[in-house]
Amino acid sequence: MGGFGSGGHNRLSDAEKKRRGTFVAKQSDAIYDARAAANVLAFPTLREIPAAELPLNEIGSRKYDELARALFDAGRLTTVSRMLAEQVASLFQEQHRRMSAGLPVPGSLSDKMQRALAQLKLADGAPTIAQPQTRNERARRIGFAARLAPPG
């Protein structure tokens, strides 16, 4: 039922098992690594930015092009990330349509967009803007954690 010691994070190395005399070949590190690798789906990166497959209008197409370009430049544009970029562009298009018509934007639409953007991981590996020596001085004096303070 789970708990400490049941997840394999504390497994002994093959060398330690051999030293103790408890080594079993079918429970070796190579077998565990091969089993874990079988669960990883590797999609090759695309060599060019394909056109969107969804029927996007001008607003959605611009957003798709922006996201696809960012993914392509980062070397992370795959079939799956392209589909996610289309999804975000479609949600952005719907959000824009509703706001232009004076209709409220449901929170679920924003949540879907936020989740899809998080899956794209566009901010991973991006350089930080603030330098440690230029942190918000007021935040430190009044007790806020520097990471929670707004920049500048």
Side-chain angles (χ1 to χ4, degrees):
M1 298 304 234
F4 183 74
S6 65
H9 64 278
N10 59 349
R11 266 186 296 145
L12 297 175
S13 67
D14 286 349
E16 180 63 20
K17 288 178 189 176
K18 287 176 183 176
R19 190 184 69 74
R20 292 182 181 190
T22 60
F23 178 76
V24 178
K26 66 180 181 182
Q27 294 176 345
S28 69
D29 288 339
I31 299 295
Y32 282 117
D33 291 344
R35 194 176 300 151
N39 293 330
V40 175
L41 297 175
F43 290 98
T45 56
L46 299 177
R47 296 175 188 237
E48 61 182 20
I49 299 173
E53 294 177 1
L54 295 177
L56 300 172
N57 64 15
E58 181 184 341
I59 302 293
S61 293
R62 269 195 313 227
K63 185 54 72 177
Y64 169 73
D65 292 341
E66 176 187 336
L67 293 171
R69 173 57 57 192
L71 288 165
F72 185 78
D73 290 345
R76 291 197 317 251
L77 184 65
T78 63
T79 303
V80 173
S81 63
R82 182 198 56 79
M83 290 171 56
L84 276 170
E86 279 186 349
Q87 202 173 20
V88 170
S90 173
L91 292 168
F92 183 79
Q93 175 179 301
E94 176 62 16
Q95 191 175 34
H96 186 272
R97 184 192 67 78
R98 287 178 148 283
M99 291 176 82
S100 297
L103 298 170
V105 178
S108 62
L109 185 64
S110 297
D111 288 344
K112 288 177 189 176
M113 195 163 143
Q114 184 179 4
R115 281 194 302 272
L117 280 170
Q119 286 179 333
L120 285 175
K121 299 179 182 176
L122 286 172
D124 286 4
T128 56
I129 296 171
Q131 300 299 321
Q133 63 270 20
T134 61
R135 292 190 180 224
N136 189 339
E137 189 63 32
R138 289 178 303 200
R140 194 175 60 202
R141 283 188 300 211
I142 59 175
F144 290 138
R147 64 181 173 76
L148 298 177

